[in-house]
């Protein structure tokens, strides 16, 4: 009985001690909190801000040190010619399409002229070889395939007509008139062939002269859109301005890409046409001299 009463008495005292210790801890915590608040109220605003900034920095530094490890890799998006075209203004897109079409047309004219000039030069050389060898009459239908052959054919037609006319008056005057008619008819044939050779040369000249200005128009329009974006977004950062300027400069690049080959190709074929004209003029003089020689020899 005494033992049980002692155990129950000690248990009651232990419970009381736990409750007392808990109350002491609560009072001590409340007092410490009040003291801290009182000190914070007594500090000046500058000291409070400095302590808060120091605490914020101390908490931020570990986060910054850990940031490189936790930061994900940034995906870089490409911004090439295709993206520039897709993001461009509709008017700038129209300018780009026009310039690309002009460039394609320029290269198509180059291929066509290379074929035409090489074929004309080869056929003229074949006829000239047969003419100087005295075998021009044996060419038959091949005469129509070369410019020199067509010139020789009309000259022979004038000569045949001259021989059918009765001899009247001064033979020297009749011969001069014949040579003049041969020169005129051969010149007409020559001009037709030169007109055929010079087709699309005006297109090349137009592209070479206007393509840079068309591209410049697209550039100016794109820069205007860039400034409009600055005014709308109220930001002059490079990320806002760069896409519009890149699209504008792409229009200028396309204009130069179309104009430079057009000018070079035009100059090349202009020289070829001048050489073609010179060869036909030389053949015309040689042909007239040959006709005059035939008449002097009575053939």
């Amino acid at each position: 009985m005494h033992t049980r009463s002692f155990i129950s008495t000690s248990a009651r005292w232990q419970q009381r001690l736990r409750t007392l210790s808990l109350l002491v801890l609560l009072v001590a915590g409340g007092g410490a909190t009040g003291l801290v608040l009182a000190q914070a109220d007594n500090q000046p605003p500058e000291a409070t801000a400095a302590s808060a900034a120091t605490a914020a920095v101390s908490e931020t530094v570990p986060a910054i040190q850990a940031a490189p490890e936790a930061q994900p890799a940034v995906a870089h998006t490409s911004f090439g010619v295709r993206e520039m075209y897709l993001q461009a203004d509709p008017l700038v897109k129209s300018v780009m399409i026009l310039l690309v079409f002009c460039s394609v047309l320029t290269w198509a004219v180059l291929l066509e002229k290379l074929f035409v000039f090489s074929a004309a030069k080869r056929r003229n050389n074949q006829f000239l070889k047969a003419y100087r060898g005295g075998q021009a009459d044996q060419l038959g239908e091949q005469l129509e395939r070369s410019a020199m052959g067509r010139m020789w054919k009309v000259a022979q037609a004038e000569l045949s007509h001259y021989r059918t006319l009765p001899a009247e008056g001064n033979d020297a005057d009749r011969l001069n008139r014949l040579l003049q008619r041969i020169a005129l008819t051969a010149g007409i044939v020559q001009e037709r062939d030169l007109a055929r050779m010079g087709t699309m040369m005006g297109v090349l000249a137009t592209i070479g002269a206007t393509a840079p200005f068309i591209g410049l128009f697209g550039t100016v329009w794109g820069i205007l859109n860039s400034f409009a974006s600055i005014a709308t977004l109220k930001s002059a950062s490079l990320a806002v301005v760069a896409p519009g300027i890149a699209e504008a400069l792409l229009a200028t690049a396309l204009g130069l890409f179309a104009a430079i080959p057009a000018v070079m190709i035009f100059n090349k074929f202009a020289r070829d046409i001048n050489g073609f004209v010179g060869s036909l003029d030389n053949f015309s003089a040689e042909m007239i001299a040959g006709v005059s020689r035939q008449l002097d020899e009575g053939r």
Side-chain angles (χ1 to χ4, degrees):
M1 293 292 296
H2 293 288
T3 304
R4 291 179 180 176
S5 61
F6 177 76
I7 293 173
S8 60
T9 304
S10 61
R12 287 195 299 270
W13 279 104
Q14 289 178 358
Q15 185 68 29
R16 292 173 182 174
L17 289 175
R18 293 192 189 98
T19 304
L20 181 62
S21 61
L22 181 60
L23 291 175
V24 172
L25 291 176
L26 291 176
V27 172
T33 304
L35 181 61
V36 171
L37 293 176
Q39 292 178 355
D41 293 335
N42 293 329
Q43 287 180 353
E46 294 81 5
T48 304
S51 61
T54 304
V57 170
S58 62
E59 292 177 359
T60 306
V61 169
I64 294 177
Q65 293 177 351
E69 299 179 357
Q71 183 178 4
V74 178
H76 296 281
T77 58
S78 62
F79 190 74
V81 176
R82 181 174 178 271
E83 288 75 16
M84 293 179 191
Y85 170 77
L86 293 177
Q87 297 182 14
D89 185 80
L91 181 61
V92 180
K93 285 183 179 180
S94 302
V95 170
M96 293 180 183
I97 293 173
L98 177 61
L99 293 174
V100 170
F101 174 76
C102 292
S103 179
V104 172
L105 182 60
T106 298
W107 294 106
V109 171
L110 171 64
L111 297 177
E112 188 264 341
K113 290 299 179 185
L114 287 175
F115 176 77
V116 170
F117 275 79
S118 61
K121 185 177 180 181
R122 183 179 64 255
R123 292 167 183 172
N124 284 339
N125 290 335
Q126 292 175 354
F127 172 80
L128 192 60
K129 182 179 179 181
Y131 172 78
R132 290 173 178 174
Q135 302 175 353
D137 296 333
Q138 300 176 6
L139 293 177
E141 295 180 355
Q142 295 182 3
L143 291 174
E144 296 292 336
R145 300 180 60 186
S146 64
M148 292 181 180
R150 289 187 288 271
M151 292 171 64
W152 182 82
K153 189 174 180 180
V154 296
Q156 291 300 309
E158 289 292 336
L159 182 60
S160 299
H161 180 70
Y162 171 81
R163 287 173 177 172
T164 59
L165 296 176
E168 295 180 358
N170 191 353
D171 291 338
D173 293 338
R174 294 179 66 242
L175 179 60
N176 289 332
R177 289 195 297 269
L178 171 64
L179 296 180
Q180 290 176 2
R181 288 195 300 270
I182 291 176
L184 289 175
T185 53
I188 293 173
V189 174
Q190 178 179 347
E191 289 299 325
R192 290 175 181 172
D193 281 280
L194 291 178
R196 189 180 303 111
M197 300 288 289
T199 55
M200 301 301 292
M201 293 294 290
V203 174
L204 290 177
T206 302
I207 292 175
T210 60
F213 297 100
I214 295 174
L216 183 61
F217 171 73
T219 300
V220 172
W221 191 265
I223 293 176
L224 288 176
N225 290 333
S226 298
F227 281 109
S229 299
I230 293 174
T232 302
L233 300 177
K234 294 181 173 51
S235 174
S237 65
L238 189 61
V240 175
V241 181
I245 295 178
E247 298 159 8
L249 294 179
L250 178 61
T252 300
L254 290 176
L256 296 176
F257 181 76
I260 293 174
V263 173
M264 297 176 65
I265 294 170
F266 175 84
N267 293 334
K268 192 264 182 199
F269 288 120
R271 293 192 300 268
D272 290 345
I273 290 177
N274 290 332
F276 194 74
V277 170
S279 63
L280 293 183
D281 288 339
N282 293 335
F283 174 73
S284 179
E286 183 179 354
M287 181 180 62
I288 292 173
V291 170
S292 177
R293 189 182 306 111
Q294 290 179 12
L295 295 175
D296 289 340
E297 294 175 356
R299 291 186 290 164

